[in-house]
Amino acid sequence: MHFFKGLLYSLQGNHKVAAEEFGKELKTSPNDATTMVSPGKELVSLSDPSGGLKYFMMAMQIAPKYGDASIVTGK
Protein backbone atom coordinates (compact mmCIF):
# COMPACT_ATOMS: atom_id res chain seq x y z
CA MET A 1 0.00 0.00 0.00
CA HIS A 2 2.73 2.48 0.95
CA PHE A 3 4.70 1.56 -2.18
CA PHE A 4 1.86 2.64 -4.45
CA LYS A 5 1.23 5.78 -2.43
CA GLY A 6 4.93 6.56 -2.84
CA LEU A 7 4.63 6.09 -6.60
CA LEU A 8 1.72 8.50 -6.74
CA TYR A 9 3.55 11.14 -4.72
CA SER A 10 6.61 10.67 -6.91
CA LEU A 11 4.59 11.21 -10.08
CA GLN A 12 3.15 14.37 -8.56
CA GLY A 13 6.66 15.64 -7.83
CA ASN A 14 6.35 15.45 -4.05
CA HIS A 15 9.63 13.57 -3.57
CA LYS A 16 9.92 14.14 0.17
CA VAL A 17 6.59 12.48 0.98
CA ALA A 18 7.29 9.77 -1.62
CA ALA A 19 10.56 8.91 0.13
CA GLU A 20 8.71 8.72 3.46
CA GLU A 21 6.09 6.36 2.00
CA PHE A 22 8.76 4.13 0.47
CA GLY A 23 10.50 4.08 3.86
CA LYS A 24 7.30 2.86 5.47
CA GLU A 25 7.03 0.14 2.84
CA LEU A 26 10.59 -0.99 3.59
CA LYS A 27 9.53 -1.80 7.14
CA THR A 28 7.00 -4.34 5.84
CA SER A 29 9.11 -5.78 3.00
CA PRO A 30 12.79 -5.18 3.77
CA ASN A 31 14.13 -7.75 1.29
CA ASP A 32 12.54 -6.40 -1.89
CA ALA A 33 15.07 -4.76 -4.20
CA THR A 34 12.45 -2.68 -6.03
CA THR A 35 11.21 -1.25 -2.77
CA MET A 36 14.78 -0.56 -1.70
CA VAL A 37 15.70 1.36 -4.88
CA SER A 38 12.63 3.60 -4.79
CA PRO A 39 13.52 5.74 -1.75
CA GLY A 40 17.03 6.04 -3.13
CA LYS A 41 15.70 7.53 -6.35
CA GLU A 42 13.61 9.99 -4.38
CA LEU A 43 16.58 11.05 -2.26
CA VAL A 44 18.61 11.65 -5.41
CA SER A 45 15.74 13.84 -6.67
CA LEU A 46 15.95 15.76 -3.38
CA SER A 47 19.69 16.45 -3.99
CA ASP A 48 20.88 13.84 -1.48
CA PRO A 49 22.86 11.40 -3.64
CA SER A 50 24.81 9.95 -0.72
CA GLY A 51 21.55 9.04 1.04
CA GLY A 52 20.27 7.45 -2.14
CA LEU A 53 23.49 5.52 -2.66
CA LYS A 54 22.95 3.76 0.66
CA TYR A 55 19.68 2.29 -0.61
CA PHE A 56 21.18 1.36 -3.99
CA MET A 57 24.05 -0.50 -2.34
CA MET A 58 21.66 -2.43 -0.09
CA ALA A 59 19.53 -3.35 -3.12
CA MET A 60 22.59 -4.62 -5.00
CA GLN A 61 23.54 -6.76 -2.00
CA ILE A 62 20.06 -8.27 -1.80
CA ALA A 63 19.63 -8.83 -5.56
CA PRO A 64 22.96 -8.52 -7.42
CA LYS A 65 21.34 -9.17 -10.82
CA TYR A 66 18.71 -6.44 -10.38
CA GLY A 67 19.71 -3.99 -13.10
CA ASP A 68 17.85 -0.91 -11.91
CA ALA A 69 20.03 -0.52 -8.81
CA SER A 70 23.22 -0.79 -10.87
CA ILE A 71 22.02 1.64 -13.53
CA VAL A 72 20.91 4.32 -11.07
CA THR A 73 24.10 3.93 -9.02
CA GLY A 74 26.16 4.48 -12.16
CA LYS A 75 24.36 7.72 -12.96
Side-chain angles (χ1 to χ4, degrees):
M1 176 81 174
H2 291 289
F3 181 79
F4 293 110
K5 285 175 67 177
L7 286 177
L8 289 173
Y9 283 120
S10 179
L11 290 172
Q12 293 174 344
N14 194 346
H15 300 293
K16 182 179 178 185
V17 177
E20 292 171 2
E21 290 294 326
F22 288 133
K24 291 176 186 176
E25 180 67 26
L26 276 175
K27 292 178 183 175
T28 58
S29 55
N31 293 325
D32 183 31
T34 304
T35 305
M36 188 129 342
V37 168
S38 299
K41 287 180 180 179
E42 298 304 321
L43 288 173
V44 169
S45 296
L46 290 169
S47 300
D48 184 13
S50 61
L53 184 62
K54 176 183 76 169
Y55 288 105
F56 302 144
M57 297 300 289
M58 288 189 299
M60 288 192 301
Q61 289 173 353
I62 290 171
K65 293 185 180 183
Y66 182 59
D68 201 21
S70 300
I71 291 169
V72 177
T73 302
K75 290 182 181 180

